[in-house]
Amino acid sequence: MDLRAPEGSTPTLNADAPWAAFDPRAYIDHNYRDLLNADAEILERVRDHFSNHFRENFERPVLGIDVGAGANLYPALSMLPWCREITLFERAPANVAYLRSQRDRFDDHWDSFWELLRQEKAYEEIHTDRRDRFRKAVRVRSGDLFDLTRRNLIGLRPDMGRWQIGTMFFVAESLTGSYTEFRRAVECFMLALAPGAPFAAAFMEGSSGYDVGNQHFPACNVSESQVYDILKLYGKVDIWRLGESSHMVRPGHTGMILVCGHRNADFAPSALSTWLNMPFRRHC
Ligand SMILES: C[S@@+](CC[C@H](N)C(=O)[O-])C[C@H]1O[C@@H](n2cnc3c(N)ncnc32)[C@H](O)[C@@H]1O
């Protein structure tokens, strides 16, 4: 049973949404052409979370991943000082093309996000080289996050627990209308992270869908407590709700939720049971 589906209705599943029609330019124009208040607050917290972690724990450059990177570079920029490689993992073909186009020289409007990051020393230290560092670190990988770790459970892929820092922004709740799939998307992200890895994840609160250009995409309506209850299974987390009117980026959501934390060393038993109950073919 899908816990969030209103009685009698069937939620749109990830496989049924029009990802091939996702327009990165329309998405950027609406969300990231300028630095909005909500993103500034999120970015400051994520910057401080990663800086605090690596101030104590930095031995050598690590592997990072941004899951469902879409047309947003600020999660990748937030990981840049510590990463030798950052995988930008994305499903929609036009977003993959956009990310590839940004590798050699990311567009100038991302510099307003960088300005906020460079208030911390680790970012300031690479300020002059930031574009070169980004170009060398970024690997754009086209794929489906539900495949990211699943096959690891039967030993076919080495990705589980591979990434030592990770981000997933506005993805798990914004790729499906199904609460079950939302949970699985969170699990896929968390299982991709190495024990102890610092991570940040952001969620739209109270959203039932969103438009990019003329195209509608599904969302799962989640609350702060639902997000917390799932994320705490996988790590030690801090959670913030951004619910002021200045945090709203469009009609049809009630706020944003940010979670920063560290991946547990152990494998959450509830996750294992969810995975074992998953159909082998996704969504069937
Ligand atoms: C609302 S956008 C968020 C994009 C970006 N992370 C941001 O912060 O703005 C949701 C993203 O999830 C991607 N996505 C949807 N289903 C996916 C899947 N199964 N695997 C990987 N990415 C997926 C979409 O293509 C889109 O880029």
Side-chain angles (χ1 to χ4, degrees), residues 14 19 22 27 32 66-72 75 89-92 95 143-146 169-171 174-175 210 282:
N14 183 246
W19 302 113
F22 199 105
Y27 188 74
Y32 301 128
D66 183 31
V67 173
N72 184 4
F89 194 86
E90 170 57 39
R91 172 175 188 157
N95 287 344
D144 180 341
L145 74 85
F146 293 103
F169 278 36
F170 311 116
V171 173
S174 296
L175 54 63
Y210 58 102
R282 184 165 55 88

Side-chain angles (χ1 to χ4, degrees), residues 24-25 28 66-76 86-107 110 134-135 138-143:
R25 291 289 162 190
I28 287 172
D66 183 31
V67 173
N72 184 4
L73 300 192
Y74 83 69
I86 302 175
T87 299
L88 303 185
F89 194 86
E90 170 57 39
R91 172 175 188 157
N95 287 344
V96 170
Y98 169 78
L99 293 167
R100 290 196 170 126
S101 78
Q102 295 295 299
R103 243 194 86 202
D104 280 352
R105 191 188 184 285
F106 58 80
D107 290 343
W110 293 112
F134 188 85
R135 180 176 58 77
V138 160
R139 310 276 184 278
V140 180
R141 189 166 145 197
S142 167

Side-chain angles (χ1 to χ4, degrees), residues 8-25:
S9 80
T10 313
T12 303
L13 296 180
N14 183 246
D16 301 326
W19 302 113
F22 199 105
D23 176 352
R25 291 289 162 190

Side-chain angles (χ1 to χ4, degrees), residues 151-190:
R151 276 180 277 172
N152 285 304
L153 284 178
I154 49 176
L156 295 181
R157 279 170 65 155
D159 284 350
M160 189 156 74
R162 174 165 182 242
W163 284 282
Q164 298 143 307
I165 180 172
T167 49
M168 183 173 70
F169 278 36
F170 311 116
V171 173
E173 81 299 351
S174 296
L175 54 63
T176 179
S178 152
Y179 187 73
T180 308
E181 279 195 329
F182 158 72
R183 281 191 64 121
R184 284 181 190 152
V186 171
E187 286 167 356
C188 287
F189 171 59
M190 298 306 288

